[in-house]
Amino acid sequence: MERPKMAELESLETAAEHERILREIESTDTACIGPTLRSVYDGEEHGRFMEKLEARIRNHDREIEKMCNFHYQGFVDSITELLKVRGEAQKLKNQVTDTNRKLQNEGKELILAMQELRQCRLQQRNISATVDKLTLCLPVLEMYSKLREQMKSKRHYPALKTLEHLEHTFLPQVSHYRFCKVMVDNIPRLREEIKELSMSDLKDFLESIRKHSDKIGETAMKQVPGAQDLVDFSPVYRCLHIYSVLGARETFESYYRKQRRKQARLVLQPPSNMHETLDGYRKYFNQIVGFFVVEDHILHTTQGLVNRAYIDELWEMALSKTIAALRTHSSYCSDPSLVLDLKNLIVLFADTLQGYGFPVNQLFDMLLEIQDQYSETLLKKWAGVFRNILDSDNYSPIPVSNEDVYRKIVGQFPFQDAELEKQPFPKKFPFSEFVPKVYGQIKEFIYACLKFSEDLHLSSTEVDDMIRKSTNLLLTRTLSNCLQNVIKRKNVGLTELVQIIINTTHLEKSCKFLEEFITNITNVLPETVHTTKLYGTTTFKDARHAAEEEIYTNLNQKIDQFLQLADYDWMAPEPGSRASEYLVDLIGFLRSTFAVFTHLPGQVDVHSTMSGKVAQTACMSACKHLSTSLLQLLLEAEVRQLTLGALHQFNLDVEECEQFARSGPVPGFQGDTLQLAFIDLRQLLDLFIQWDWSTYLADYGQPTCKYLRVNPTTALILLEKMRDTSRKNNVFAQFRKNERDKQKLIDTVAKQLRGLINSHHS
């Protein structure tokens, strides 16, 4: 039961399916019927389907036949019309054919034109594509060209920026082109080339500022602001930026500092002849200032290319080398004007660099050292000035014929004397011309010292101390030596020596005015604590004493020259009738000499000063020297024998000396003071001439002894000379009683004298 039902159902489904396929065939476009038919052949009932298909075709044929029978007349009419249409169609065909032929003939040109148009449009598309590509490539090429132009014109920092822009912006847009790859590969080399070119510019800059440091420093030393504007610093900035961008800033900083250190050492090496002219020093300072002006500008405009520690290190080196060079070269300088100009230049140098913030205290300390040298050069210069003044002086009182000349000299030298003021013209100052000249030159020296102290930032006390110390050196060393040389000069006359004594006396009095002069220009009172005192008084006193000693020495030397003419006959039996000729001449010389002392023209209060001191001392010294020298003549070893007659002649000469002493050759001696110079000789001669040995021997050693000044040794020497003479002259008279007694007496006295000598030594 089940199986027939199932077969019946399948048959119904198949029939329905076939019906659907037929409807689909009828309604579907023939182009799409393939899938429908495939479904038929895919099944197992295609035979039955074919049967149904044929039945459906037969049904349609019957319907067509019915329809054709219904429309036959219409069909016939249509055929008739179609036949008509065919004729017309043939005509139309002919016309179309003719038109087509004509159109083909005419279309050939159009086809050619269209082909050309097609080719043009193809080219247009290619051109458009090319333009689009070039639009991308041209900026790259333009940037590259710009890069090369910037490098050629040495605009290295813009070139580096262009290179960066080219690499990161333009080349990525056209990276698939071969030329771009070449460019990309070339970029590191271009960077290195820019780096090298910028470094070359830096080297040119360093060489340029080395050559122009002198000009930069000269401008800065003139206190002109903007000395750094003389320099184009752009190569430094560009190179610094380039190396910074390239990540090599430290390399650049190291190179720059190393090169500038080398240049600093060259700048700080002074030329060997720098000390010869001020321009040598000026150029040296200009180069140093120029160097540090540049470094200071770099410090403040580059943010780290150089730092303060680096600048300070360079400055310390520069300071030490500069000071050492100045110490060495300034020591060669002997011209005080050049030393003063050098000091002013150093001050300007120090002030200029201090304006840029560099510490310069050591330079000012060194200037104090140069001040000592300046003082030495001044002393040497003034030594020549003083020598010329002293050599050209006539050592005579200055005559004045009218009031104008008098006031001029008083204006040059602080001299006041009421008595001289009252005297009529012509009259004379007591001193010679070298007094106002020397005084004026001392003031000029003080002014010269003051000039050096200017702008050294010293206190008034320091300036005062410096001037006083230098002036003391001038007085105690330079002027003193010049005066001593004049005094010790050969052939200097006594009148010149006396005039020197007068001159130094007045110069000594002027020292207080020099004190006032220094006080007025420094505004430091002499009473101020630690103020140095002037030693001029000592200088002039020493010179005066030296002149006095020279007078004494010259007189003694002259006396010695006269004594060399002495020609005593020590064996003369009888004395002459008068004093020896040489001694008379000697006494005459002494009288004329001391007359010169007493009557020097132009002396003020000469009796109380010169005659009362120098003349008296000179006269006493001369008499003592004469007395001592005469005694030496008597006792010298060459005189082996001596007669009483020779002793009497010698006594006449001593009496001549005593007469000179009594005559008062210079005023001021009290009583017989001057005669006491010959007391030793007088007592010795009296002892031998009077043969008063009993008194001498009895009173020896007592304060009231008549022959107190007679030394037993001297007496013994003289007695021995007379005893030898007595023995020689009385060889045949030795048997006479009185001669024998006298010889015994001499022997006895000699023995007693030896006893006195021995007892004195014991």
Side-chain angles (χ1 to χ4, degrees):
M1 289 294 289
E2 292 293 330
R3 185 172 295 173
K5 285 183 179 179
M6 290 179 64
E8 186 179 353
L9 287 173
E10 288 177 0
S11 177
L12 289 173
E13 290 176 357
T14 300
E17 178 65 22
H18 287 174
E19 185 64 29
R20 183 189 64 78
I21 292 172
L22 288 174
R23 284 197 304 270
E24 189 173 333
I25 290 172
E26 289 173 347
S27 61
T28 303
D29 189 5
T30 56
C32 299
I33 200 170
T36 305
L37 294 176
R38 184 180 298 167
S39 62
V40 174
Y41 285 97
D42 287 341
E44 297 178 356
E45 298 295 335
H46 57 277
R48 293 176 63 183
F49 174 75
M50 290 303 295
E51 291 176 358
K52 284 191 176 187
L53 177 62
E54 288 176 359
R56 182 62 60 90
I57 291 172
R58 286 193 299 271
N59 287 336
H60 281 295
D61 285 340
R62 285 193 297 271
E63 288 178 3
I64 291 170
E65 185 178 354
K66 286 179 182 179
M67 188 175 291
C68 285
N69 289 332
F70 178 75
H71 294 289
Y72 177 74
Q73 186 59 41
F75 175 74
V76 173
D77 292 337
S78 295
I79 291 299
T80 301
E81 289 293 328
L82 284 173
L83 289 175
K84 292 179 181 179
V85 170
R86 188 172 72 174
E88 293 297 325
Q90 186 63 40
K91 290 179 183 179
L92 180 61
K93 178 182 177 182
N94 291 335
Q95 289 178 354
V96 170
T97 301
D98 186 52
T99 301
N100 180 56
R101 180 181 54 77
K102 291 180 179 179
L103 183 62
Q104 289 294 330
N105 290 334
E106 295 295 333
K108 288 180 180 178
E109 295 180 3
L110 179 62
I111 290 171
L112 291 174
M114 290 299 292
Q115 288 177 345
E116 291 178 359
L117 176 62
R118 179 176 175 275
Q119 186 65 31
C120 286
R121 291 206 173 154
L122 179 61
Q123 290 177 351
Q124 185 180 20
R125 285 196 301 272
N126 291 340
I127 290 172
S128 179
T130 302
V131 168
D132 291 341
K133 300 299 182 183
L134 287 176
T135 301
L136 291 175
C137 293
L138 279 177
V140 176
L141 297 173
E142 288 173 354
M143 290 292 283
Y144 190 80
S145 176
K146 180 181 178 182
L147 171 65
R148 300 306 299 183
E149 184 63 30
Q150 288 171 334
M151 291 175 66
K152 183 178 180 181
S153 60
K154 296 186 177 182
R155 298 169 58 212
H156 302 129
Y157 183 66
L160 186 63
K161 288 296 183 183
T162 301
L163 183 62
E164 295 293 318
H165 203 40
L166 182 65
E167 180 182 18
H168 298 295
T169 304
F170 289 90
L171 285 177
Q173 298 177 8
V174 291
S175 59
H176 54 282
Y177 292 110
R178 186 167 54 192
F179 78 91
C180 293
K181 293 181 180 179
V182 173
M183 286 184 182
V184 170
D185 294 339
N186 209 23
I187 284 175
R189 187 187 63 79
L190 290 173
R191 276 203 184 92
E192 194 62 31
E193 184 178 349
I194 291 173
K195 190 176 177 182
E196 291 175 358
L197 289 172
S198 65
M199 181 57 73
S200 176
D201 282 354
L202 176 68
K203 291 177 180 178
D204 293 341
F205 167 81
L206 292 174
E207 180 63 20
S208 174
I209 60 173
R210 186 187 68 81
K211 292 179 179 178
H212 296 95
S213 286
D214 186 13
K215 185 65 177 177
I216 301 167
E218 180 184 0
T219 304
M221 292 267 277
K222 291 177 181 177
Q223 307 299 311
V224 180
Q228 64 275 4
D229 295 340
L230 297 173
V231 182
D232 178 15
F233 288 92
S234 57
V236 180
Y237 302 147
R238 287 196 300 267
C239 199
L240 175 61
H241 288 316
I242 287 168
Y243 271 73
S244 298
V245 170
L246 296 177
R249 181 185 176 100
E250 292 184 1
T251 302
F252 176 77
E253 290 177 0
S254 176
Y255 176 81
Y256 177 86
R257 295 183 185 186
K258 180 180 179 181
Q259 295 303 312
R260 288 298 277 165
R261 280 194 181 93
K262 289 181 179 179
Q263 290 187 348
R265 292 188 179 94
L266 291 175
V267 165
L268 295 169
Q269 184 65 37
S272 59
N273 62 342
M274 182 174 75
H275 58 276
E276 294 177 359
T277 63
L278 188 65
D279 285 339
Y281 289 105
R282 183 178 288 112
K283 185 174 181 180
Y284 179 63
F285 288 141
N286 286 346
Q287 289 179 339
I288 296 174
V289 171
F291 179 90
F292 282 100
V293 166
V294 169
E295 289 308 287
D296 181 74
H297 188 74
I298 292 292
L299 173 67
H300 290 94
T301 57
T302 58
Q303 296 181 350
L305 176 56
V306 297
N307 53 34
R308 176 52 64 184
Y310 160 81
I311 294 291
D312 290 344
E313 178 191 347
L314 279 182
W315 176 239
E316 284 298 322
M317 177 184 73
L319 203 56
S320 63
K321 289 184 177 293
T322 301
I323 290 174
L326 289 175
R327 282 192 181 121
T328 300
H329 285 268
S330 63
S331 64
Y332 300 139
C333 185
S334 58
D335 180 6
S337 298
L338 180 57
V339 177
L340 182 62
D341 290 340
L342 173 59
K343 164 256 169 182
N344 291 330
L345 194 59
I346 293 174
V347 169
L348 180 59
F349 171 71
D351 288 345
T352 301
L353 286 168
Q354 191 174 38
Y356 285 91
F358 295 99
V360 294
N361 290 339
Q362 291 184 47
L363 286 173
F364 283 101
D365 292 341
M366 187 210 56
L367 280 174
L368 297 181
E369 297 177 23
I370 293 183
Q371 190 275 330
D372 294 336
Q373 182 190 341
Y374 175 69
S375 179
E376 287 297 323
T377 60
L378 286 181
L379 292 174
K380 290 179 182 178
K381 177 181 178 180
W382 257 259
V385 171
F386 288 147
R387 279 195 300 270
N388 291 336
I389 291 174
L390 296 176
D391 290 345
S392 63
D393 196 62
N394 59 10
Y395 295 93
S396 299
I398 303 174
V400 286
S401 58
N402 56 58
E403 184 70 19
D404 291 340
V405 177
Y406 185 88
R407 292 301 166 198
K408 179 182 177 182
I409 294 175
V410 172
Q412 293 172 346
F413 181 74
F415 175 78
Q416 293 179 347
D417 184 82
E419 293 298 324
L420 187 62
E421 290 266 3
K422 295 175 183 178
Q423 292 179 16
F425 293 101
K427 52 189 175 183
K428 295 181 179 180
F429 284 98
F431 44 80
S432 67
E433 288 185 354
F434 95 57
V435 170
K437 288 182 178 178
V438 166
Y439 183 82
Q441 285 300 322
I442 294 173
K443 291 173 68 176
E444 288 298 320
F445 178 87
I446 293 171
Y447 276 128
C449 292
L450 181 65
K451 285 182 181 178
F452 193 92
S453 67
E454 294 173 352
D455 302 320
L456 292 187
H457 313 302
L458 299 175
S459 66
S460 298
T461 304
E462 289 173 319
V463 173
D464 183 85
D465 184 67
M466 182 184 74
I467 291 176
R468 288 176 180 272
K469 286 180 177 178
S470 297
T471 305
N472 276 334
L473 286 174
L474 178 76
L475 295 173
T476 60
R477 192 172 75 185
T478 306
L479 180 55
S480 177
N481 288 341
C482 291
L483 288 172
Q484 295 291 340
N485 290 336
V486 170
I487 292 168
K488 300 295 182 183
R489 192 165 52 191
K490 288 183 178 181
N491 303 321
V492 64
L494 292 175
T495 53
E496 285 93 341
L497 290 171
V498 173
Q499 189 63 59
I500 289 173
I501 293 171
I502 296 170
N503 289 354
T504 52
T505 300
H506 287 285
L507 284 171
E508 180 184 345
K509 293 178 181 178
S510 72
C511 287
K512 64 179 181 179
F513 296 100
L514 290 175
E515 289 270 10
E516 293 176 1
F517 176 71
I518 294 175
T519 298
N520 289 336
I521 63 177
T522 63
N523 296 320
V524 178
L525 296 176
E527 297 80 14
T528 305
V529 179
H530 305 308
T531 299
T532 304
K533 304 300 179 184
L534 287 185
Y535 301 140
T537 302
T538 304
T539 296
F540 298 123
K541 280 183 179 179
D542 291 345
R544 186 164 65 252
H545 292 157
E548 293 171 0
E549 289 297 327
E550 194 66 19
I551 289 174
Y552 309 150
T553 302
N554 285 355
L555 278 174
N556 292 344
Q557 289 175 348
K558 199 68 178 178
I559 290 171
D560 290 341
Q561 291 175 6
F562 277 102
L563 288 173
Q564 288 176 0
L565 301 175
D567 187 19
Y568 287 102
D569 181 6
W570 298 111
M571 300 301 294
E574 296 294 334
S577 60
R578 60 189 181 88
S580 302
E581 185 176 351
Y582 88 90
L583 192 73
V584 173
D585 293 341
L586 172 56
I587 297 300
F589 164 74
L590 292 177
R591 289 186 187 279
S592 63
T593 297
F594 291 118
V596 171
F597 272 81
T598 308
H599 299 98
L600 277 173
Q603 292 189 32
V604 179
D605 197 15
V606 67
H607 294 294
S608 62
T609 56
M610 298 309 306
S611 296
K613 184 178 180 182
V614 179
Q616 290 176 14
T617 306
C619 187
M620 177 61 76
S621 173
C623 289
K624 285 183 176 181
H625 183 71
L626 177 57
S627 174
T628 303
S629 298
L630 286 172
L631 181 59
Q632 291 301 319
L633 277 176
L634 199 60
L635 299 178
E636 63 184 8
E638 293 180 0
V639 181
R640 298 181 180 278
Q641 297 175 339
L642 183 66
T643 64
L644 194 58
L647 202 60
H648 278 284
Q649 179 62 48
F650 195 80
N651 185 56
L652 288 175
D653 292 348
V654 175
E655 287 177 348
E656 185 72 16
C657 294
E658 291 173 327
Q659 176 58 35
F660 168 74
R662 283 193 298 272
S663 68
V666 294
F669 283 111
Q670 299 294 326
D672 58 354
T673 302
L674 192 57
Q675 288 177 262
L676 293 176
F678 300 98
I679 189 65
D680 291 6
L681 268 177
R682 172 47 49 213
Q683 290 185 7
L684 181 63
L685 291 173
D686 285 351
L687 175 61
F688 275 84
I689 291 172
Q690 296 174 15
W691 207 252
D692 193 9
W693 293 105
S694 59
T695 303
Y696 176 76
L697 294 171
D699 296 342
Y700 179 79
Q702 297 180 13
T704 57
C705 178
K706 180 181 179 181
Y707 304 103
L708 181 64
R709 307 290 296 182
V710 177
N711 186 292
T713 303
T714 303
L716 179 60
I717 293 172
L718 193 57
L719 187 63
E720 292 286 351
K721 294 176 185 290
M722 293 187 70
R723 182 172 64 176
D724 291 343
T725 304
S726 177
R727 287 174 179 174
K728 182 178 180 182
N729 292 338
N730 296 293
V731 172
F732 300 102
Q734 58 181 329
F735 298 107
R736 278 181 278 180
K737 185 178 183 302
N738 59 338
E739 292 298 334
R740 289 197 304 272
D741 292 344
K742 184 178 181 180
Q743 191 64 41
K744 287 181 180 180
L745 179 59
I746 289 175
D747 291 341
T748 302
V749 171
K751 183 177 180 181
Q752 290 178 322
L753 288 174
R754 289 189 186 94
L756 289 177
I757 294 170
N758 292 333
S759 64
H760 176 72
H761 286 313
S762 63

